[in-house]
Amino acid sequence: MKWKLVTGPLEGLKSEGLAVGVFEDLDFSRLGDGDSIAASAKRVRFKGKPGESYYAFELFGKPKKHLLVVGLGKKDECKPATFRDAAALASRKFRERTLKSAAIAFPLDGKGQAAGPSLQALVEGVHFGNGRFDKYLTDREAKFEGLGRVLIVVPRKGRALEECAQLGALTASAVLYARGLVTEPSNVLTPSRMAEEAKRVAKEAGLAIKVLGPSECEAMGMGAYLAVAKGSKNEPRFIHVSYRPKGARFHLGFVGKGLTFDSGGLSLKPNEGMAAMKSDMSGAAAVLAAMKAIGELRPKVAVDAVMAMAENMPGGGAYKPGDILTSMSGKTIEILNADAEGRLTLADALTYVQKQKVDAVVDLATLTGACIVALGPDIAGAMTNDQGFLDELLAAAREAGEELWQLPMPAAYNKFIQSPVADMANSARIRWGGAITAGLFLKNFVENGTPWVHLDIAGPAYRDEDGAEAFRAEGSGVGVRTLVRLVLNKEK
Ligand code: BES
Ligand code: ZN
Ligand code: ZN
């Protein structure tokens, strides 16, 4: 999609569609034809609430446009997220009408809200609403490519706003890339396919990359990770992408859970919801997509990202309940449930990333159904061994418009993952608090003094039609925006 910032009267803009955003005060005075639009709004009982919209036809512009009036809610509650969602709604509606070009005129000049972050969010939203995973539809009609050209009306032109818009477009393209990877089915996106993807991204974004196969992982002692992969014919691939600029101010480690499919292994999942387990590599997708954006932005912050890609299947070689594994850290793990596989892959990935001498680590994982029970579908759980680092990450998430909520890590719950025959068990003795016991398991692989945040993204990673407007896609790409923001904040 091509986009451009423009100023001036809406009348002369060359586009098929025009989306006008309005608060609940229904003040249309910015529009040349304001009065007649206000009258039409009244007629259709449009209230200007978030998520509300209607087409006011034959009313505006020469030639007349598809004028979409979009609600922005209360003026004093307006946040960048308001613009992201409203812009996503507009571009989705225009796409449904097969319009090829549109202008977006939202009030970016409102008091109290910074125009820059709002514009960034708006540009992200326009891209999100326009994106669609239709590569497997063979019907040409259904494959409409969406808006090709978008004009974004800004209060004034200038470097600062231009840069915010550019950051929005770059971030959105990373998020859409992550969404595509998540939505891609597991018969196509195998661990080795993901490694090829990562190589392509690394090359294009100027990043270093190393891909380890099973024998190299074996030589490094990754006994926990490799066990998970053994039940599948699709070989595991351990991906390490790094960005190490000169004069870096900070060195981050990212770890993404990369199960291209999680059948549950020998602890087989019921069929209900199993198809969604193609999304069990959402953490890896977010990490790779964030690296793509970081490679393009080239901030003075070093980042090493690792993705331990595997497929959890119940084949003849599969690891079994009762098995005892030795992780790369040397710690031993008794398997009680082959469906608690993510933490095993993450254990070795955490050990590996800490060998890169990182200053802090963030992992993202679709780790537990329990986290969805705790926080519902929209909110990711966050756990840490370092409150200061989590606070920075929470601030980044807030700026990026992603919802995180901290869960505690009580040491007393360690007893639930004790094992009589190994250093720990991979699954807790009790059902309750499953997101927390999973976090406590991971903490065993974080070395003393490494600030670490664990994000359980099981809820928001994969959304269907009832997702928030900016999230309407199967894979959501959750985490990308927060990671990119965190890195940019670390540069300051
Ligand atoms: N990938 C799943 C977690 C998951 C569930 C993600 C639903 C997204 C939606 C994970 O590997 C898993 O199966 N976890 C188990 C852990 C249990 C066996 C201790 C779970 O949550 O039931
Ligand atoms: Zn599982
Ligand atoms: Zn899993």
Side-chain angles (χ1 to χ4, degrees), residues 22-28 47-48 73-75:
V22 67
F23 295 113
E24 286 176 27
D25 60 10
L26 300 188
D27 176 3
F28 288 95
K47 300 279 189 296
K74 294 199 166 60
K75 200 176 206 165

Side-chain angles (χ1 to χ4, degrees), residues 342-415:
R343 61 195 76 183
L344 301 170
T345 66
L346 293 168
D348 287 342
L350 285 167
T351 302
Y352 179 99
V353 84
Q354 287 167 102
K355 290 198 187 306
Q356 312 307 312
K357 303 261 173 285
V358 291
D359 297 319
V361 176
V362 184
D363 78 68
L364 291 89
T366 46
L367 203 59
T368 65
C371 196
I372 315 179
V373 174
L375 298 173
D378 291 347
I379 306 173
M383 283 152 263
T384 191
N385 64 351
D386 185 308
Q387 194 60 43
F389 183 48
L390 177 56
D391 288 343
E392 286 179 43
L393 196 118
L394 291 173
R398 203 172 312 117
E399 287 172 58
E402 294 192 311
E403 285 193 271
L404 301 182
W405 196 259
Q406 183 172 8
L407 300 177
M409 298 199 88
Y413 287 9
N414 277 314
K415 61 176 173 285

